[in-house]
């Protein structure tokens, strides 16, 4: 792995770091969706978003997987920091129960689980709806 500054990182070092982290911050950047989001989720680390990111696999939202601070961003930077601090403190204060919900919420994103297969099936049915037989004849 390379950073945008040209620094080299070993993939296993990133994985160890993410496993030990309580949250992974995904700041606003040149693209809303980044590989680091999925690396964090794969390692079992919830994400903090500071800008809008569409959930994958047509999930309705990021509930249980992330803290979306962008929904409450304000022009006043100190108010923005207060909102972020409150949401993170709330999650950290109830971290064990928050993480139980996180583990359940990330099941549809884990390859090979029945929850992933169900969600993928929903997406495929939505993208490729079954055709009526009258059109096939």
């Amino acid at each position: 792995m390379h950073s945008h500054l040209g620094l080299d990182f070993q993939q296993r070092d990133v994985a160890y770091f993410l496993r030990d982290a309580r949250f992974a911050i995904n700041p606003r950047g040149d693209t809303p969706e980044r590989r680091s989001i999925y690396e964090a989720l794969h390692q079992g680390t919830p994400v903090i978003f500071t800008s809008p990111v569409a959930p994958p696999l047509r999930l309705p939202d990021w509930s249980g997987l992330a803290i979306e601070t962008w929904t409450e961003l304000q022009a006043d930077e100190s108010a923005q920091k207060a909102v972020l601090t409150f949401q993170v403190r709330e999650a950290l204060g109830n971290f064990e129960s928050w993480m139980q919900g996180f583990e359940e919420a990330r099941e549809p994103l884990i390859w090979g689980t029945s929850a992933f297969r169900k969600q993928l099936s929903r997406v495929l049915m939505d993208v490729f709806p079954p055709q009526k037989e009258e059109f096939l004849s």
Side-chain angles (χ1 to χ4, degrees):
M1 277 179 94
H2 300 287
S3 75
H4 66 286
L5 300 173
L7 302 173
D8 288 329
F9 297 98
Q10 295 296 321
Q11 183 67 32
R12 75 171 183 278
D13 294 337
V14 173
Y16 289 137
F17 177 77
L18 286 170
R19 276 189 219 132
D20 292 340
R22 292 280 178 132
F23 292 98
I25 297 176
N26 187 60
R28 171 176 273 167
D30 56 346
T31 61
E33 187 174 50
R34 300 174 190 209
R35 183 174 121 182
S36 61
I37 296 169
Y38 303 102
E39 289 173 340
L41 293 172
H42 179 72
Q43 294 302 324
T45 306
V47 180
I48 296 175
F49 291 118
T50 60
S51 59
V53 176
L57 292 173
R58 297 190 179 194
L59 293 173
D61 55 37
W62 288 98
S63 294
L65 294 167
I67 295 175
E68 295 180 283
T69 60
W70 65 270
T71 57
E72 300 182 35
L73 292 182
Q74 304 188 16
D76 180 11
E77 190 174 308
S78 63
Q80 177 180 337
K81 287 179 183 175
V83 168
L84 176 61
T85 302
F86 172 76
Q87 290 177 334
V88 172
R89 281 189 183 165
E90 187 177 343
L92 286 172
N94 302 310
F95 194 70
E96 294 304 318
S97 63
W98 202 92
M99 284 304 291
Q100 284 178 330
F102 170 78
E103 289 299 331
E104 292 171 18
R106 81 181 186 123
E107 275 293 305
L109 302 177
I110 305 298
W111 181 265
T113 63
S114 63
F116 175 82
R117 288 191 297 274
K118 284 180 187 175
Q119 189 63 30
L120 184 59
S121 177
R122 286 185 204 113
V123 170
L124 291 174
M125 293 298 285
D126 189 36
V127 173
F128 304 105
Q131 296 182 357
K132 296 184 178 181
E133 288 188 33
E134 61 190 65
F135 295 113
L136 296 176
S137 350

